[in-house]
């Protein structure tokens, strides 16, 4: 049974680890994934570098400490420099980066410079929106024919930056792009059985759909666990910004697919094609993202809807099992959640701590502990 006291104990473990890491990651950030459960400190230049400052914001929300705030301030200066100099921003993950840095700071502290930073970041992200295909190109140079018109399910989490920009400026171009993108993601990334493609190509000459494919999943027709998790969380987020109930329904179908493809301890293998007894690795980061998604989804369902309680209970059950996948047995580790997988086909970050797994683990704990106004 997941009690408030148990959640509090786990938050304290996370909080203390963050405080221990403040000095190492003052202006640098943890590398995307650990090596043997240790993150090296690296310069801020990857898509994952918002997760550390996102954790700092959550820690500050849980229990304010001037030492944490001081590092947030230093990190924000690095994010501004990255934007000013456009350091490795030629991808769609600008939303991940600037939601957890600039928007989080604006929401928590109402800092005008953070609002400005988020709006400028939204303009950079908008360059990737193709007016004919009506999607944001995920990866690669905009002139790269191989990548043009390619959207990926992860992008759901980048859209809040665009909703923010429209809400703040009154200019609807950002919102229109986000809404068009999410509707096409809903239409083409979700398969008939409610599993998902990781990526899907639109024709940028005609706007017609082309085909789905994987990048980090087992195969083009399998279901990459973390992709499904980005859908379970990302579609309800777009619902909160648009009021489009069909997005909640899609997330619910994706959640049902995910929950029915879990092994006995409810912690997914890295691809949902693998089931109980498989010798493949888990991806604990997919589980942490899914818990946040289930809780967000449940929040918007009426009390009379049987799914509300079911998703809340599923979230808590996964969470309780994730407690067995932390670095508590590895006191030298500076990470939180063990057994994440970055890319099995790419051979990177297999059975390691992942910065996003750690962030969403903490977000899930905070969500379970008290009400929290989302940064997304
Ligand atoms: N968004 C990239 C990943 O989930 O690996």
């Amino acid at each position: 049974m997941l009690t408030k006291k148990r959640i509090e104990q786990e938050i304290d473990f996370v909080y203390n680890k963050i405080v221990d890491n403040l000095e190492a990651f003052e202006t640098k950030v943890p590398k995307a994934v650990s090596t043997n459960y240790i993150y090296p400190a690296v310069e801020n230049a990857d898509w994952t570098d918002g997760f550390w400052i996102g954790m700092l914001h959550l820690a500050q929300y849980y229990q304010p400490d001037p030492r944490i705030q001081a590092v947030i301030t230093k990190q924000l200066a690095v994010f501004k420099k990255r934007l000013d100099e456009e350091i490795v921003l030629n991808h769609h993950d600008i939303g991940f980066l600037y939601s957890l840095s600039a928007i989080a700071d604006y929401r928590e502290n109402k800092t005008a410079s953070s609002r400005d930073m988020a709006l400028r970041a939204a303009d950079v992200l908008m360059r990737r929106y193709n007016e004919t295909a009506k999607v944001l190109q995920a990866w690669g140079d905009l002139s790269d024919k191989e990548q043009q018109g390619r959207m990926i399910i992860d992008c759901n989490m980048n859209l809040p930056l665009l909703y923010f920009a429209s809400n703040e400026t009154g200019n609807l171009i950002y919102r229109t792009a986000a809404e068009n993108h999410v509707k096409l993601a809903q239409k083409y990334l979700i398969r008939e059985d409610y599993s998902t493609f990781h990526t899907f190509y639109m024709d940028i000459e005609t706007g017609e759909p082309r085909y789905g494919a994987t990048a980090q999943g087992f195969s083009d027709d399998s279901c990459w666990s973390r992709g499904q998790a980005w859908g379970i969380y990302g579609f309800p987020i777009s619902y909160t910004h648009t009021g489009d109930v069909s997005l909640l329904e899609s997330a619910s179908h994706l959640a049902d697919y995910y929950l029915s493809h879990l092994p006995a301890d409810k912690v997914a293998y890295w691809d949902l094609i693998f089931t109980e007894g498989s010798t493949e690795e888990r991806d604990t980061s997919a589980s942490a993202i899914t818990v946040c998604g289930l809780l967000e989804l449940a929040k918007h369902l009426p009390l009379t809807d049987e799914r509300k309680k079911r998703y809340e209970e599923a979230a808590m059950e996964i969470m309780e099992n994730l407690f067995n996948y932390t670095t508590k047995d590895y006191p030298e580790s500076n990470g939180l959640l063990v057994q994440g997988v970055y890319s099995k086909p790419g051979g990177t970050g297999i059975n390691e701590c992942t910065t996003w797994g750690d962030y969403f683990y903490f977000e899930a704990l905070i969500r379970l502990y008290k009400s929290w106004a989302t940064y997304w």
Side-chain angles (χ1 to χ4, degrees), residues 51-66:
F51 296 119
W52 167 237
I53 188 170
M55 288 172 65
L56 294 175
H57 281 297
L58 290 174
Q60 198 55 358
Y61 174 68
Y62 175 66
Q63 192 175 300
D65 181 323

Side-chain angles (χ1 to χ4, degrees), residues 130-150:
N130 184 290
E131 287 290 349
T132 308
K134 301 206 180 312
V135 295
L136 291 152
Q137 180 183 322
W139 298 318
D141 194 89
L142 294 174
S143 62
D144 181 345
K145 294 245 174 295
E146 292 295 309
Q147 296 294 343
Q148 286 173 340
R150 187 181 198 183

Side-chain angles (χ1 to χ4, degrees), residues 1 22 42 57 59 63 83 91 97 101 104 112 115 138 154 194 203 206 231 239 249 267 300-301 334 336 339 341 354:
M1 173 69 182
L22 286 175
V42 294
H57 281 297
Q63 192 175 300
L83 189 58
H91 54 75
L97 289 168
S101 55
R115 175 184 179 274
D154 324 27
Y194 301 114
D203 189 316
T206 64
Y239 162 77
E249 289 306 314
V267 176
H300 303 293
L301 296 172
N334 54 5
L336 296 175
Q339 297 192 38
V341 171
T354 66

Side-chain angles (χ1 to χ4, degrees), residues 277-301:
S278 169
T279 54
E280 290 290 324
E281 294 79 9
R282 312 290 176 133
D283 179 11
T284 52
S285 74
S287 306
I289 297 160
T290 297
V291 171
C292 295
L294 289 171
L295 294 173
E296 185 65 32
L297 174 56
K299 193 162 91 186
H300 303 293
L301 296 172

Side-chain angles (χ1 to χ4, degrees), residues 153-154 196-198 223-232 254 286:
I153 189 133
D154 324 27
T196 47
F197 287 116
H198 181 191
C223 183
W224 180 46
S225 303
R226 194 160 66 253
Q228 193 81 0
W230 293 135
I232 293 167
L254 264 53

Side-chain angles (χ1 to χ4, degrees), residues 18 20-30 41-42 44 52-53 56 67-79:
I18 289 171
D20 288 348
N21 284 341
L22 286 175
E23 206 179 318
F25 306 125
E26 201 173 45
T27 54
K28 293 196 173 180
V29 287
V42 294
N44 186 327
W52 167 237
I53 188 170
L56 294 175
R67 292 172 299 171
I68 297 175
Q69 187 52 50
V71 177
I72 289 177
T73 305
K74 286 185 180 161
Q75 287 284 337
L76 284 169
V78 178
F79 274 93

